[in-house]
């Protein structure tokens, strides 16, 4: 499994905890930044991660901004991206299991590092269930392509 990760200045501290966690577990990732507290525009980070995931360059993505909301909205503009804001482990499990989410979004001001890492682990450990959920994920793709 390879991840694509990115953050803006509001998610920098949580992103550093994620980077450290992935390194400790030898999980490969491509890091699209940012690396300083200097203000950056989160849509530009989100699109890089979302395109990496949608193209298959990465299996899953992780995006972090102040709340996780703005960066998820931007990521979801990329065809094939299914970015979900998660604030707890149950949300992380359910968005993978039911929605086949391929990008985890979190907020640096919403979850602390310990909670964020638990959310990340739950997200990574959960597989898409398929079945009736596959039909719904297919319908999301039809909305994206204009068929619905």
């Amino acid at each position: 499994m390879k991840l694509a990760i990115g953050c803006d200045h509001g998610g920098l501290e949580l992103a550093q905890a994620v980077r450290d966690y992935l390194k400790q577990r030898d999980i490969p990732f491509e890091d699209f930044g940012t690396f300083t507290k200097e203000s950056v525009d989160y849509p530009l980070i989100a699109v890089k991660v979302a395109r990496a995931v949608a193209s298959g360059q990465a299996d899953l993505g992780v995006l972090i901004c102040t709340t996780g909301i703005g960066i998820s909205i931007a990521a979801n503009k990329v065809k094939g991206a299914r970015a979900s804001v998660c604030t707890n482990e149950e949300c992380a499990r359910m968005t993978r299991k039911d929605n086949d989410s391929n990008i985890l979004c979190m907020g640096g001001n919403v979850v602390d590092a310990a909670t964020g890492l638990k959310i990340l682990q739950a997200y990574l450990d959960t597989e898409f269930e398929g079945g009736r959920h596959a039909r719904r994920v297919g319908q999301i793709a039809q909305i994206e392509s204009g068929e619905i």
Side-chain angles (χ1 to χ4, degrees):
M1 174 187 328
K2 181 178 179 185
L3 301 182
I5 67 170
C7 69
D8 72 357
H9 52 283
L12 186 62
E13 290 178 29
L14 180 54
Q16 189 55 53
V18 167
R19 290 175 181 121
D20 293 343
Y21 179 87
L22 296 174
K23 287 176 188 174
Q24 289 170 357
R25 284 156 184 77
D26 292 320
I27 298 172
F29 63 93
E30 185 170 356
D31 196 336
F32 293 93
T34 194
F35 306 100
T36 70
K37 283 280 191 183
E38 185 176 328
S39 181
V40 296
D41 296 328
Y42 64 80
L44 303 178
I45 305 286
V47 71
K48 290 176 185 176
V49 170
R51 285 181 177 156
V53 172
S55 72
Q57 179 184 339
D59 300 300
L60 296 172
V62 179
L63 287 168
I64 306 168
C65 66
T66 302
T67 64
I69 297 168
I71 211 160
S72 71
I73 292 169
N76 279 318
K77 298 298 180 184
V78 173
K79 185 175 182 176
R82 289 179 304 282
S84 302
V85 180
C86 295
T87 56
N88 60 54
E89 294 168 73
E90 180 64 8
C91 288
R93 281 189 288 273
M94 292 304 291
T95 197
R96 286 287 298 134
K97 183 171 112 24
D98 287 5
N99 309 119
D100 199 19
S101 169
N102 53 16
I103 303 172
L104 169 64
C105 300
M106 295 186 285
N109 282 3
V110 178
V111 297
D112 60 33
T115 303
L117 296 180
K118 288 178 185 175
I119 293 168
L120 174 62
Q121 190 61 56
Y123 189 84
L124 296 177
D125 286 347
T126 305
E127 295 287 329
F128 179 50
E129 190 174 87
R132 71 183 189 280
H133 304 294
R135 181 179 72 249
R136 295 169 186 150
V137 172
Q139 290 167 348
I140 293 169
Q142 288 179 306
I143 293 168
E144 203 172 54
S145 69
E147 295 174 53
I148 293 181

